[in-house]
């Protein structure tokens, strides 16, 4: 065939305590790993983000040269020309990672989990990646969450939604007002744009929170996750 299949993404998994009927994919921020994101959340909550029926998957982005770090290798979902919302997106690297993450979604589907029982989201760059994946390629997912994340001004996501007619996954966004890396205004603008394009989107504001996660935020996210992926009632037949 000539083309080698891309290597499966490494992942850290928190299994459900009971019967597995839904899945959650959490994408780490730039330079982190799946294990790192899981450990960070565990430290904040004093326990894993875990559920009775939902499998939580933390994949690790492959290392690649990253332009904002002068081309040094970093675990990033895609490249950026710079960390700013008014430059072009590096669409080529975004799209190639969408293929790798689609394999991850398909693995869950093969395990008997319907697409409308899968949530995807992440922190910072991970949230940006999740929005590309869901709104451009997987509009039948249960929902998307983006924590301290943004999309560039003329994002491919906006272009795709301008042509879209179908129902879209709901977006749960969180952002700290003191974020110095990904400005609160970038997150706010992303939220407004997506809303104007038909996405049902909420934005939860955290005063004095920098580019980080907080316990209140993760608790809020956890409630939203259970609302989007409720425990399924056993079949009546």
């Amino acid at each position: 065939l000539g083309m080698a299949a891309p290597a499966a993404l490494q992942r850290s998994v928190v299994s459900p305590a009971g019967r597995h009927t839904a899945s959650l994919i959490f994408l780490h921020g730039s330079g982190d790993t799946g294990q790192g994101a899981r450990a960070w959340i565990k430290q904040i909550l004093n326990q894993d983000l875990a559920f009775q029926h939902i499998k939580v998957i933390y994949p690790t982005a492959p290392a690649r040269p990253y332009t904002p770090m002068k081309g040094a290798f970093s675990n990033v979902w895609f490249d950026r020309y710079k960390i700013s919302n008014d430059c072009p997106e590096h669409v080529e690297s975004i799209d190639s990672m969408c293929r790798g993450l689609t394999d991850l979604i398909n693995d869950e589907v093969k395990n008997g989990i319907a697409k409308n029982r899968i949530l995807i989201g992440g922190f910072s760059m991970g949230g940006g990646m999740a929005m590309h994946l869901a709104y451009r390629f997987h509009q039948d997912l249960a929902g998307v969450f983006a924590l301290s994340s943004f999309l560039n001004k003329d994002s491919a996501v906006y272009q795709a939604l301008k042509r879209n007619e179908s129902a879209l996954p709901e977006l749960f966004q969180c952002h700290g007002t003191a974020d110095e890396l990904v400005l609160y205004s970038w997150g706010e603008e992303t939220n407004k744009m997506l809303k104007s394009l038909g996405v049902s989107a909420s934005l939860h504001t955290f005063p004095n929170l920098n580019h980080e996660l907080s316990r209140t935020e993760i608790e809020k996210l956890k409630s939203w996750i259970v609302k989007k992926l409720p425990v399924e009632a056993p079949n009546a037949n």
Side-chain angles (χ1 to χ4, degrees), residues 15 27 41 83 88 184 194 199 208 213 215:
S15 297
L27 306 178
I41 290 175
I83 299 173
Y184 177 77
L194 289 171
V199 175
N208 310 318
L213 294 171
R215 185 170 183 145

Side-chain angles (χ1 to χ4, degrees), residues 4 91 163 167 189:
V91 181
R163 298 187 295 271
E189 194 175 310

Side-chain angles (χ1 to χ4, degrees), residues 105-123:
I105 292 171
N106 289 342
D107 283 350
E108 292 311 293
V109 174
K110 282 183 198 123
N111 287 333
I113 306 300
K115 296 261 305 270
N116 65 2
R117 295 284 292 166
I118 300 173
L119 274 180
I120 185 153
F123 174 71

Side-chain angles (χ1 to χ4, degrees), residues 105 115-121 130-146 157 161 164-173 191 194-195 197-202 224 228-229:
I105 292 171
K115 296 261 305 270
N116 65 2
R117 295 284 292 166
I118 300 173
L119 274 180
I120 185 153
M131 291 187 276
H132 274 273
L133 190 66
Y135 293 119
R136 292 176 57 211
F137 300 102
H138 298 281
Q139 297 180 344
D140 46 355
L141 290 170
V144 189
F145 60 93
V157 172
L161 293 181
N164 176 67
E165 297 298 314
S166 60
L168 296 163
E170 184 186 324
L171 175 69
F172 179 93
Q173 231 182 316
N191 190 271
L194 289 171
K195 271 192 176 139
L197 292 164
V199 175
S200 161
S202 58
W224 180 78
K228 298 307 292 179
L229 300 175

